[in-house]
């Protein structure tokens, strides 16, 4: 298979022979670029059956602090006895860091087996699913097989058309919004906020940090449209020391802690 004149590795038969071969195929799909939209991802999850009704999902979008908030929520929930799944991106050293269950990264064999199953389902799809869509499907399938009770999902790009937005969470979280990925999300803060606020679902509670006035207006409008309860974090969390440096981390901790102070509208 070729994309733009470049070759995308094919599997030998219907089986990956190694973790590295699985990653070679997956990274080859980066040539398909970024395609915002939920149609292909919804089809992947439907065919892979990679979601479970009794799994509760916390969905996190924003510009700054998404990774910290996701890590803190995961840590808090594990401390409360929940079996958690954590999906973040990008990774620092190993691809496996993106998918964690109870603080443990996914095994190499589980990556290889999961990507084999997905590849066998989508190898002839046109247009081909992207790297992020496949990785999101792999994560949710792994969380299902691992019997996770609570899943923390970090958006990859934006929110409204991000692959992670095909799920329905029990709460949506929006961290501070700034100018990022303007080529895809829009040139103005209002446009970017509109994409991030796209994770807000009907009647699903939303927690957000203090925002720029323009971004706050957009979030409020989306929450009203969806009849979604909206809470703003107004005070940093100071109930315990944090391993992460920086006063802003206390604000992020506030977004993840069950006893945070907030203003509800």
């Amino acid at each position: 298979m070729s994309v733009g004149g470049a070759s995308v590795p094919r599997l030998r038969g219907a089986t990956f022979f190694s973790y590295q071969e699985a990653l070679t195929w997956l990274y080859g799909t980066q040539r398909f670029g970024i395609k915002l939209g939920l149609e292909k991802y919804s089809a992947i999850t439907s065919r892979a059956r990679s979601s479970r009704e009794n799994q509760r999902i916390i969905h996190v979008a924003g510009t700054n602090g998404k990774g910290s908030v996701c890590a803190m929520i995961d840590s808090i929930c594990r401390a409360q006895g929940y079996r958690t799944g954590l999906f973040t991106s990008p990774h620092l050293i190993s691809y496996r860091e993106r998918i964690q269950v109870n603080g443990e990264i996914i095994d190499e064999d589980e990556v290889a087996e999961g990507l084999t199953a997905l590849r066998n389902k989508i190898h002839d799809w046109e247009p081909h699913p992207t790297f992020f869509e496949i990785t999101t499907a792999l994560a949710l399938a792994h969380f299902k097989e691992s019997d996770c009770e609570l899943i923390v999902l970090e958006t990859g790009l934006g929110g409204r058309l991000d692959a992670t937005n095909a799920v329905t969470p029990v709460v949506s979280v929006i961290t501070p919004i700034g100018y990022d990925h303007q080529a895809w999300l829009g040139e103005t803060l209002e446009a970017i906020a509109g994409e991030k606020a796209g994770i807000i679902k009907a009647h699903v509670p939303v927690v957000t940090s203090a925002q720029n006035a323009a971004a706050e207006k957009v979030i409020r409008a989306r929450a009203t449209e969806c009849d979604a309860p909206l809470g703003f974090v107004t005070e940093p969390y100071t109930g315990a020391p944090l391993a992460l440096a920086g006063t802003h981390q206390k604000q992020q901790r506030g977004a993840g802690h069950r006893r945070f102070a907030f203003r509800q509208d």
Side-chain angles (χ1 to χ4, degrees):
M1 179 187 302
S2 64
V3 179
S7 176
V8 175
R10 284 190 178 276
L11 290 178
R12 298 194 296 271
T15 305
F16 285 118
F17 294 117
S18 71
Y19 167 72
Q20 288 301 328
E21 185 178 16
L23 287 189
T24 296
W25 169 75
L26 178 63
Y27 277 93
T29 67
Q30 288 183 325
R31 294 182 174 88
F32 296 106
I34 296 173
K35 298 175 184 175
L36 295 178
L38 303 179
E39 293 81 5
K40 279 295 179 186
Y41 176 72
S42 296
I44 295 173
T45 55
S46 174
R47 295 190 189 187
R49 298 185 181 182
S50 55
S51 61
R52 174 181 285 179
E53 289 184 1
N54 64 350
Q55 289 181 322
R56 290 177 286 178
I57 295 172
I58 297 175
H59 197 194
V60 181
T63 302
N64 302 309
K66 287 184 300 180
S68 297
V69 168
C70 287
M72 290 175 184
I73 294 173
D74 177 72
S75 178
I76 292 165
C77 292
R78 282 191 282 121
Q80 292 297 312
Y82 292 99
R83 182 170 177 80
T84 65
L86 174 63
F87 176 62
T88 58
S89 61
H91 60 269
L92 296 178
I93 299 173
S94 170
Y95 172 82
R96 296 159 56 208
E97 297 167 20
R98 296 169 178 253
I99 303 171
Q100 301 183 33
V101 172
N102 263 12
E104 298 293 330
I105 62 176
I106 188 172
D107 289 341
E108 290 186 0
D109 288 346
E110 291 168 325
V111 172
E113 291 171 7
L115 289 180
T116 297
L118 286 167
R119 185 272 176 188
N120 290 338
K121 295 177 184 296
I122 67 174
H123 68 94
D124 59 349
W125 288 17
E126 293 294 343
H128 198 282
T130 65
F131 176 99
F132 189 76
E133 289 171 332
I134 296 167
T135 298
T136 304
L138 173 66
L140 289 180
H142 182 61
F143 297 151
K144 175 185 176 182
E145 293 165 3
S146 301
D147 293 322
C148 292
E149 300 170 278
L150 193 146
I151 296 167
V152 185
L153 290 183
E154 178 186 2
T155 57
L157 178 62
R160 182 176 64 91
L161 296 176
D162 189 76
T164 60
N165 205 30
V167 304
T168 299
V170 294
V171 63
S172 303
V173 179
I174 302 177
T175 68
I177 295 173
Y179 290 94
D180 69 330
H181 300 295
Q182 290 166 264
W184 290 279
L185 304 182
E187 293 295 328
T188 67
L189 195 61
E190 290 87 350
I192 295 170
E195 294 299 318
K196 309 285 187 181
I199 70 166
I200 298 174
K201 305 290 198 307
H203 313 298
V204 175
V206 187
V207 177
T208 182
S209 65
Q211 299 282 358
N212 174 284
E216 179 176 332
K217 182 178 179 180
V218 172
I219 292 171
R220 285 182 180 278
R222 174 64 180 174
T224 298
E225 176 187 352
C226 294
D227 194 20
L230 175 62
F232 285 82
V233 175
T234 59
E235 297 178 14
Y237 175 78
T238 57
L242 299 181
L244 297 172
T247 57
H248 65 284
Q249 296 294 350
K250 292 184 175 64
Q251 195 77 15
Q252 308 290 18
R253 172 75 172 190
H257 197 272
R258 66 184 176 88
R259 294 184 299 174
F260 63 80
F262 70 97
R263 179 179 81 251
Q264 186 167 353
D265 298 328

